[in-house]
Amino acid sequence: MGIQFKDVGYSYPGIKTSYDALENIDLEISAKDEFIAIVGHTGSGKSTLVQHMNALLLPTTGNVIVFGHSLPPKRKEKINYLRQKVGLVFQFPEYQLFEETIIKDIMFGPKNFKFTEAEALEKAKRAAAIVGIDESLFEQSPFRISGGQMRRVAVAGILAMEPEILVLDEPTRGLDPKGRNDLMAIFNELHEKHGKTIILISHDMDLVAEHAKRIIVLKEGRLVFDGKKEALFEHSGRLQHSSMSIKAFIFSNTAS
Ligand SMILES: Nc1ncnc2c1ncn2[C@@H]1O[C@H](COP(=O)(O)OP(=O)(O)OP(=O)(O)O)[C@@H](O)[C@H]1O
Ligand SMILES: [Mg+2]
């Protein structure tokens, strides 16, 4: 089980013409033990791709299957089930914080998924511990903490739903080096210790070179590389396993 894309295309509807943001995407992602980076130019379709993974977008053509359910699922209630299984953290997720206290914000997801108040609190506490938000902060407003802490609270809100696959759309963007490293350490631990599949969109090639095991490269809505990180280095003809090799591949014309 996991996520499959079969010849998927997605077009954003326009007033006169629609815009093809994804074309002919075939993908297979396991629900366990993967650490995938999705890279590509701005506008290449990365965010559009991952929004299919928890049914925020539905394919225009082809088929997306998430934990055995072809999208859209036959029963509407299944959408919640899929969103629990595949947790998606948007770019700048702190803009979506809205509750009056930090703990309430983290509890929002589990409560929405029909867990009792006590169960939601338990899950929220566990998630807060994972991201390093201390209990002394629980009753504070999420708007009175630092940007890095806000980002952690937002991530905890997704973790509280205990997803099997965690999808992160540029999670470290705008953070300082310490904030970035702290957050990456959390994702690494979720991957290494708990076997969670992590899917990370990033423009930061140093981060990709350091953490990802598998790399997916998108170019103008098409998948131009999908394989082990080492294979990308070989493919790009570079022996050095560095972020420069990935950059060279993405920006090279031979990629299409
Ligand atoms: N809501 C929308 N309506 C119309 N077109 C859209 C919409 N959202 C995205 N697009 C277009 O679809 C294409 C893919 O966008 P997407 O946001 O998936 O790219 P991206 O790779 O995530 O880019 P970035 O690195 O800038 O976040 C772009 O050309 C974009 O302009
Ligand atoms: Mg994007």
Side-chain angles (χ1 to χ4, degrees), residues 94 147-149 151 171-181 183:
E94 55 273 28
Q149 280 176 317
R151 187 78 52 97
T172 60
R173 194 170 213 177
L175 297 183
D176 62 19
K178 182 176 182 323
R180 183 192 102 148
N181 292 341
L183 206 54

Side-chain angles (χ1 to χ4, degrees), residues 77-94:
E77 312 85 83
K78 281 283 176 209
I79 294 250
N80 264 356
Y81 166 82
L82 297 180
R83 293 195 177 148
Q84 183 273 316
K85 289 274 192 200
V86 184
L88 175 60
V89 179
F90 283 101
Q91 207 172 321
F92 298 115
E94 55 273 28

Side-chain angles (χ1 to χ4, degrees), residues 12 19 21 40-49 91 170 173 203:
Y12 283 104
Y19 181 81
H41 284 293
T42 179
S44 57
K46 304 180 295 296
S47 296
T48 306
L49 180 77
Q91 207 172 321
E170 306 216 31
R173 194 170 213 177
H203 280 111

